[in-house]
Amino acid sequence: MQLQLFVIILFLFSPLVPQENAGQFFSSGHTNNWAVLVCTSRFWFNYRHVANTLSVYRSVKRLGIPDSHIVLMLADDMACNHRNPKPATVFSHKNMELNVYGDDVEVDYRGYEVTVENFLRVLTGRLPPSTPRSKRLLSDDRSNILIYLTGHGGNGFLKFQDSEEISNVELADAFEQMWQKRRYNELLFIIDTCQGASMYERFYSPNLMALASSQVGEDSLSHQPDLAIGVHLMDRYTFYLLEFLEDIHPSSKANMNDLFKVCPKSQCVSTPGHRTDLFLRDPGSALITDFFGSVRKVEITMETINLTEPIQQVEQNFVNEERQKETYSYVDQLPVSEIIHQKPKQKDWHPPDGFILGLWTLILLVFFKTYGMKHLKHIF
Amino acid sequence: MGLLSDPNRRRALISLLTRLNAPICVVCYMAGVAWFMGLAFEPFTLRTYMSENAMGSTMVEERFPAGERALGTGREFSAHKKKAGGMPVDWLVKTMQSRGLEVFTQRFSRRLPFPDEDKERYMVKGTNVYGILRAPRAPRTEALVLSAPCSPGDDNNQAVGVLLGLAQYFRNQVFWAKDIIFLVNEHDLIGMQAWLEGYHHTNTTGMDWSPLQGRGGSIQAALSLELSSDVVTSLDLVLEGLNGQLPNLDLANLFYAFCQKIGVLCTTQGKLQRNDWDSVSGYSHAVQTMMLMVMKQASGRPWGDHGLFLRYHIEAATIKGINSFRQYKTDATTIGRLLEGMYRKLNNLLERLHQSYFFYLMPSLSHFVSIGYYMPAFGLLALILLLRALDLWIQLATPPPGVLSVLTPLVISHLTGVALYTLPIHFQEIAVEHFPVSETEAVVLTAIAVYTAGLALPHNTHRLLTGRGTENGWKVLKLVAVLYLAVLLGCTALINFSLGFILALTLVPVAAFVTPDLCSATPACTLLFSVFLFQELQEMPVSFLDGWMLYLSVISQGILDHALYGSLVYPLVALLVYPCWLLFWNILFWK
């Protein structure tokens, strides 16, 4: 019965012949969307970073990615901060127009859990078995992932909660691990910090696209000063990004080239940058909703499909020799046995380097030339 | 070969040093004075800026509405004060409670070493009243303090009124992350000292106080308000505290930033800032402001109720309202808004103020000079003493000096110093019996008597000195004395730069050039001169007689400050500077 259902659904998704249009249907290559949104600052004067992240969270939820597919990492000390004149709210527009905290925010990593280690473990999937599902990035090789980082950064690093940093090399290596473990199909990386472009300089894995709010040597500026609350409410780049995303709806055909135009220098004061050389498709063919939304494609067909005999007898080849059975086993993520036994690795013996050999020959020649051969007997 | 290890080069260097010693000393002195005067020149100063990230800009909305009601409360306070003949404790307690604060009182009493002209009795008794506004959602770990003194007569009524008005307004806000303590202290500094000692469970000055029933956590910052008129034309910021300690510059920066935002005239040392720094009068104005700060810092006494907080590492400043004859007046609502803005910003602090400078001089409220810039002025003066010591050492190289010969003058000078420190207070009763003077005058006159007696010692004691009559004897003494003075002034300048610098300015030239039969000045003259200069700078020049009376009162205040709050100027002068000076005085009369 289940087999029938599955086959029906599969045939429903293709109008004519299943095999030919499957490719067209899966043209973007992804089947599910994930988002990892990280705010790396804490303390009251970094209100705007939390507001940034929550605004992106709102947009991403609105465009269809459910909470189960969003990993939200915030210090979450703004809404209930003692200094907040409007407790339980986080505003993103001055004059308190929009409360982005709302009542359905699900923060997965809060407070002191937002660390570099947790962030990298989420990305690479190396979490202890006791980690709940909401804290895991359960992506596969058909997932499009949106990663958004905001906070205080510098040339080549991003500060996590005043006590540690993540460097651009670490981040690039984490993405390479993700690629090798087939944890993403395509990845969009957005960063809104000072000197943000330095964070994507070192990426080397395929299918990565990156956007940053400022170049190396530039500061990203804050926006929306609110006198009643007493802090800046948003950063400029994310503010204009949000204005752009407000016009996107789930069936929008806007593509990445439009995203690159968000917040030009006249509005942002800093120069936003982007990187697309690692992305295999043309950015113009990548839709915004490929990353920001979670689009479920449904095609309605009016045709009937002839179902052949659903149950097919698998002919068992009982040849004289035994059926070859392949045994399958899981690949070890960590080669635990090797680690535990700590076998010393046999290093191959290499002959001395030619240069070293020549140098020593020279030294010996000079020695014997100067002091004569009679000293040989003192050596041997 | 190296510069010092090569005998030829060393001899050349030594001969250079001995030949040119006097000219180099003179040049150093002029350079030191010129450097100091140059500090007030505006291109050499830095503009003030907010260093603390958590306080950020002045981006806050001040909405304090009730200035007139605050003034009404102040008038009520004044009436009750007259009726109670002191601090109207019950009325204050009732009023603070009606505003929703947790109110507590503290009694204190203090036996003065001698009654001065302000408090004409030996025993001072009083009560402090304070109310704590608990932060609505925060744990009680940190606090801010706003205080106003309860002064006799008609002073500071409006300050208490504004304090109570702000308490009511603050109580209705939800964004306080720290407790705010509203304190009304009696007898100014004595009451404040009692409160601080009770709050921090220390007892450094031997005062009697009842323990505090309510506490608010560690105090992050404090402001003291002095307001004696309904409208003001400018607000003055007083920074100098006990022993010349200054609060973190960020507090002054915060005040200045808010003054500029709200548009109130703000001054420091009572002098308004001028824009024409390149003109002579503009420059001299800046120099006057800086000199006033230097003199106030050198005196080592707290110049406002805030001065005692600094010892507990609490950044504090006093804001005084000044009503002079200007057209533009600021009303109580604006003052309340300024304080509200400052407190909202202090509320955002996560750590104590530590990002900005602790050692600075301010030629005006928008410019400052940090320790790295003003210390070389003192360094040049100390260099003179070191050059002199080197010169004497070279001269004394053969025959080797006997250091023990200077032991006698050292001991005698220090004993005289101890006498100067202890005798005035102990013998005041005997003095009052025998002479028709008040206790204060008795103490001061005893001090002057001991001082002058000490100056007469060399004539009589050099019979006890060994090595008298020898040429080298006085040189050894001078070497020891010069090094002693250098160390003493160096240490003083590190703690209280202004005191060290003023002492160096006057003592170093004479110490460097003193030889037998060359006349010199004394530290007492330094003090006399400073008093006159201070009055000049404040644009209230005095006649000689008034200046003399002021001088006597300065001495008595110094002794009283030491006994009451632990000010270090009087012991420093009596126990260290004076004996060091006596060593030079001994050289003067070397026979």
Side-chain angles (χ1 to χ4, degrees):
Chain A
M1 179 60 193
Q2 280 183 332
L3 190 60
Q4 284 175 325
L5 218 59
F6 170 74
V7 172
I8 290 167
I9 292 170
L10 187 63
F11 285 163
L12 272 175
F13 278 162
S14 54
L16 295 169
V17 182
Q19 265 63 28
E20 283 169 15
N21 291 76
Q24 184 201 346
F25 172 64
F26 290 116
S27 65
S28 66
H30 73 286
T31 58
N32 55 79
N33 285 85
W34 285 81
V36 177
L37 309 174
V38 184
C39 163
T40 60
S41 310
R42 60 184 305 114
F43 304 134
W44 176 245
F45 53 86
N46 290 323
Y47 187 101
R48 57 189 188 281
H49 298 138
V50 170
N52 286 351
T53 318
L54 285 174
S55 312
V56 175
Y57 171 77
R58 289 241 155 264
S59 297
V60 148
K61 254 175 92 158
R62 179 177 59 82
L63 290 171
I65 303 186
D67 274 315
S68 56
H69 282 226
I70 302 179
V71 177
L72 181 60
M73 302 174 78
L74 288 181
D76 203 14
D77 61 347
M78 298 305 158
C80 296
N81 198 307
H82 315 308
R83 295 166 182 79
N84 196 344
K86 298 268 179 278
T89 59
V90 173
F91 290 104
S92 67
H93 283 67
K94 63 181 170 190
N95 303 322
M96 298 187 242
E97 285 168 19
L98 179 60
N99 174 17
V100 286
Y101 201 67
D103 52 2
D104 60 342
V105 170
E106 276 187 30
V107 181
D108 299 308
Y109 286 83
R110 60 158 38 90
Y112 289 107
E113 290 173 349
V114 180
T115 58
V116 174
E117 180 187 347
N118 280 349
F119 176 57
L120 290 176
R121 280 188 186 279
V122 162
L123 288 182
T124 54
R126 299 179 195 280
L127 287 161
S130 56
T131 318
R133 277 182 80 88
S134 59
K135 287 189 171 179
R136 288 180 187 262
L137 177 67
L138 297 165
S139 56
D140 54 25
D141 64 325
R142 305 288 239 162
S143 307
N144 273 10
I145 308 184
L146 165 71
I147 298 189
Y148 176 81
L149 292 172
T150 182
H152 290 289
N155 190 355
F157 67 92
L158 174 59
K159 183 171 76 155
F160 265 70
Q161 293 205 356
D162 264 4
S163 58
E164 48 185 7
E165 301 145 2
I166 186 172
S167 64
N168 50 2
V169 176
E170 279 179 331
L171 197 58
D173 287 341
F175 288 155
E176 175 65 13
Q177 281 190 53
M178 286 174 81
W179 174 252
Q180 291 193 3
K181 292 171 71 164
R182 302 283 178 265
R183 281 170 66 78
Y184 69 90
N185 176 40
E186 283 166 352
L187 199 144
L188 176 64
F189 175 78
I190 305 184
I191 184 162
D192 187 352
T193 64
C194 302
Q195 308 195 47
S198 63
M199 288 306 282
Y200 62 63
E201 273 172 3
R202 303 290 196 125
F203 290 173
Y204 56 95
S205 317
N207 275 344
L208 292 176
M209 181 162 13
L211 280 114
S213 60
S214 56
Q215 302 293 328
V216 173
E218 286 180 347
D219 286 339
S220 286
L221 299 178
S222 53
H223 201 38
Q224 302 286 301
D226 185 312
L227 284 142
I229 301 183
V231 286
H232 286 281
L233 297 184
M234 283 280 268
D235 279 330
R236 280 180 186 260
Y237 182 73
T238 311
F239 182 75
Y240 290 108
L241 177 71
L242 244 29
E243 269 190 15
F244 170 76
L245 285 175
E246 290 293 309
D247 292 332
I248 307 289
H249 50 86
S251 59
S252 159
K253 293 290 174 211
N255 58 39
M256 283 298 157
N257 283 333
D258 302 323
L259 193 60
F260 297 153
K261 294 201 203 92
V262 162
C263 206
K265 195 169 164 90
S266 56
Q267 281 175 329
C268 253
V269 185
S270 57
T271 321
H274 54 90
R275 181 176 176 180
T276 53
D277 56 319
L278 293 166
F279 201 66
L280 295 178
R281 287 192 289 155
D282 173 36
S285 69
L287 299 178
I288 303 275
T289 50
D290 280 352
F291 293 100
F292 282 90
S294 183
V295 183
R296 311 227 182 282
K297 291 200 171 104
V298 174
E299 299 244 6
I300 307 216
T301 176
M302 302 301 275
E303 303 198 344
T304 56
I305 296 172
N306 236 355
L307 287 177
T308 53
E309 181 65 38
I311 298 172
Q312 291 175 352
Q313 293 289 347
V314 176
E315 283 195 25
Q316 298 208 333
N317 302 346
F318 279 116
V319 197
N320 289 340
E321 61 265 28
E322 286 178 4
R323 222 177 345 147
Q324 289 283 44
K325 276 197 181 159
E326 273 181 58
T327 51
Y328 296 101
S329 63
Y330 284 107
V331 176
D332 262 334
Q333 284 190 350
L334 294 169
V336 175
S337 51
E338 275 177 31
I339 293 172
I340 288 178
H341 292 300
Q342 300 276 4
K343 283 211 188 71
K345 287 181 71 166
Q346 299 291 332
K347 258 208 266 196
D348 298 320
W349 180 82
H350 297 283
D353 214 15
F355 170 70
I356 306 278
L357 208 57
L359 186 68
W360 275 107
T361 318
L362 188 64
I363 290 171
L364 282 171
L365 274 174
V366 169
F367 176 74
F368 284 121
K369 188 86 194 320
T370 358
Y371 294 106
M373 295 297 285
K374 59 181 193 289
H375 290 276
L376 258 179
K377 66 173 190 295
H378 294 289
I379 298 167
F380 295 111
Chain B
M1 293 267 252
L3 192 64
L4 290 176
S5 52
D6 184 7
N8 288 332
R9 285 201 197 156
R10 202 201 309 184
R11 237 175 283 130
L13 200 65
I14 288 173
S15 71
L16 192 76
L17 203 64
T18 41
R19 257 185 314 123
L20 293 180
N21 204 316
I24 294 182
C25 286
V26 171
V27 165
C28 275
Y29 188 77
M30 312 276 268
V33 174
W35 189 294
F36 183 73
M37 298 305 273
L39 288 174
F41 190 50
E42 201 165 293
F44 297 159
T45 60
L46 293 167
R47 286 200 76 90
T48 54
Y49 55 94
M50 289 295 296
S51 301
E52 174 68 55
N53 194 19
M55 286 213 289
S57 58
T58 55
M59 182 173 55
V60 76
E61 201 181 0
E62 305 94 359
R63 283 199 237 111
F64 178 66
E68 295 310 316
R69 214 180 323 154
L71 292 179
T73 319
R75 281 188 279 273
E76 265 188 62
F77 172 72
S78 141
H80 280 94
K81 190 165 65 168
K82 273 199 201 56
K83 203 165 64 159
M87 177 88 129
V89 179
D90 296 323
W91 178 84
L92 262 177
V93 169
K94 204 160 49 82
T95 320
M96 280 192 184
Q97 271 175 345
S98 73
R99 278 159 172 68
L101 309 177
E102 290 179 19
V103 192
F104 306 95
T105 59
Q106 180 200 27
R107 291 180 175 287
F108 61 91
S109 75
R110 169 86 205 185
R111 193 174 183 289
L112 295 176
F114 56 90
D116 65 343
E117 56 265 16
D118 286 334
K119 303 162 194 354
E120 277 133 23
R121 53 199 185 286
Y122 273 103
M123 194 67 135
V124 170
K125 282 209 209 9
T127 320
N128 292 328
V129 179
Y130 64 104
I132 306 182
L133 186 150
R134 298 287 182 196
R137 294 171 281 146
R140 300 173 178 186
T141 48
E142 290 173 352
L144 298 169
V145 174
L146 178 62
S147 81
C150 169
S151 313
D154 270 333
D155 289 333
N156 288 326
N157 295 328
Q158 285 82 355
V160 176
V162 168
L163 181 133
L164 292 170
L166 277 175
Q168 185 162 26
Y169 176 70
F170 283 178
R171 185 72 178 86
N172 293 332
Q173 312 302 319
V174 296
F175 48 69
W176 295 114
K178 304 182 206 290
D179 294 344
I180 305 189
I181 303 177
F182 295 92
L183 168 69
V184 181
N185 54 322
E186 200 174 357
H187 297 302
D188 293 321
L189 289 165
I190 301 180
M192 187 58 90
Q193 180 70 20
W195 190 80
L196 280 170
E197 282 187 2
Y199 198 88
H200 292 99
H201 306 295
T202 60
N203 200 335
T204 48
T205 55
M207 212 187 274
D208 243 337
W209 35 263
S210 64
L212 296 185
Q213 304 294 319
R215 234 180 147 267
S218 87
I219 304 177
Q220 305 290 298
L223 282 178
S224 177
L225 191 60
E226 288 180 24
L227 195 62
S228 301
S229 58
D230 280 356
V231 289
V232 294
T233 51
S234 63
L235 286 174
D236 191 43
L237 184 72
V238 184
L239 294 168
E240 301 82 15
L242 188 64
N243 292 329
Q245 204 175 348
L246 298 169
N248 198 306
L249 189 59
D250 262 339
L251 202 57
N253 297 339
L254 184 70
F255 176 73
Y256 182 61
F258 269 99
C259 282
Q260 289 207 299
K261 180 188 179 199
I262 293 191
V264 182
L265 266 182
C266 289
T267 62
T268 180
Q269 320 299 337
K271 284 196 180 299
L272 198 57
Q273 197 176 327
R274 285 167 67 140
N275 286 336
D276 53 344
W277 54 266
D278 42 359
S279 71
V280 174
S281 58
Y283 171 69
S284 79
H285 187 90
V287 168
Q288 277 176 36
T289 318
M290 199 176 72
M291 278 308 294
L292 271 173
M293 179 167 182
V294 164
M295 311 221 77
K296 284 191 181 174
Q297 200 185 1
S299 70
R301 57 185 302 255
W303 286 85
D305 283 355
H306 72 286
L308 298 169
F309 280 94
L310 297 169
R311 200 187 350 213
Y312 297 91
H313 200 196
I314 301 170
E315 312 309 327
T318 299
I319 300 181
K320 285 212 290 223
I322 297 181
N323 193 8
S324 62
F325 301 102
R326 263 180 227 280
Q327 214 170 356
Y328 190 73
K329 309 256 185 213
T330 312
D331 62 346
T333 313
T334 319
I335 299 176
R337 289 207 175 150
L338 189 135
L339 288 169
E340 179 198 350
M342 285 183 78
Y343 270 88
R344 269 203 84 171
K345 281 290 147 186
L346 288 172
N347 183 39
N348 282 356
L349 280 179
L350 293 156
E351 310 165 294
R352 287 181 191 275
L353 288 168
H354 67 283
Q355 301 277 7
S356 191
Y357 299 92
F358 286 100
F359 297 96
Y360 51 89
L361 290 176
M362 299 189 84
S364 72
L365 202 52
S366 64
H367 290 265
F368 74 100
V369 181
S370 71
I371 184 169
Y373 285 98
Y374 67 59
M375 213 34 123
F378 176 77
L380 285 167
L381 293 181
L383 190 63
I384 299 174
L385 291 173
L386 292 176
L387 284 173
R388 268 292 171 212
L390 265 177
D391 183 33
L392 284 166
W393 180 255
I394 293 164
Q395 286 176 22
L396 285 173
T398 56
V403 187
L404 283 181
S405 61
V406 302
L407 204 62
T408 324
L410 262 177
V411 168
I412 294 181
S413 312
H414 281 91
L415 284 176
T416 322
V418 171
L420 181 59
Y421 179 65
T422 52
L423 287 185
I425 297 183
H426 281 219
F427 286 171
Q428 56 169 320
E429 293 119 19
I430 305 177
V432 168
E433 274 176 32
H434 291 286
F435 300 100
V437 289
S438 70
E439 284 90 346
T440 318
E441 289 171 13
V443 169
V444 176
L445 293 174
T446 317
I448 295 183
V450 174
Y451 186 92
T452 339
L455 289 183
L457 269 177
H459 295 280
N460 303 322
T461 58
H462 69 263
R463 285 187 214 112
L464 296 170
L465 291 170
T466 58
R468 59 185 168 103
T470 57
E471 178 62 20
N472 275 359
W474 69 264
K475 284 197 181 166
V476 176
L477 185 59
K478 184 173 175 189
L479 176 63
V480 171
V482 158
L483 286 176
Y484 185 18
L485 187 65
V487 169
L488 183 63
L489 287 179
C491 294
T492 313
L494 283 177
I495 298 172
N496 187 345
F497 165 76
S498 309
L499 183 62
F501 189 75
I502 289 183
L503 285 174
L505 255 185
T506 45
L507 297 184
V508 159
V510 189
F513 291 111
V514 73
T515 54
D517 307 324
L518 199 64
C519 67
S520 76
T522 69
C525 294
T526 309
L527 188 58
L528 190 62
F529 177 64
S530 312
V531 167
F532 278 105
L533 182 64
F534 187 62
Q535 289 300 115
E536 267 300 324
L537 287 173
Q538 282 192 322
E539 288 160 18
M540 290 188 290
V542 289
S543 65
F544 185 73
L545 203 60
D546 287 335
W548 178 253
M549 299 311 295
L550 206 57
Y551 176 66
L552 295 180
S553 77
V554 163
I555 298 180
S556 79
Q557 271 300 115
I559 302 176
L560 197 61
D561 277 348
H562 169 63
L564 285 180
Y565 321 120
S567 159
L568 292 172
V569 176
Y570 180 66
L572 180 81
V573 169
L575 292 174
L576 290 172
V577 173
Y578 178 62
C580 189
W581 191 252
L582 277 183
L583 292 178
F584 288 108
W585 198 254
N586 270 324
I587 299 171
L588 204 58
F589 293 101
W590 195 276
K591 289 227 207 332

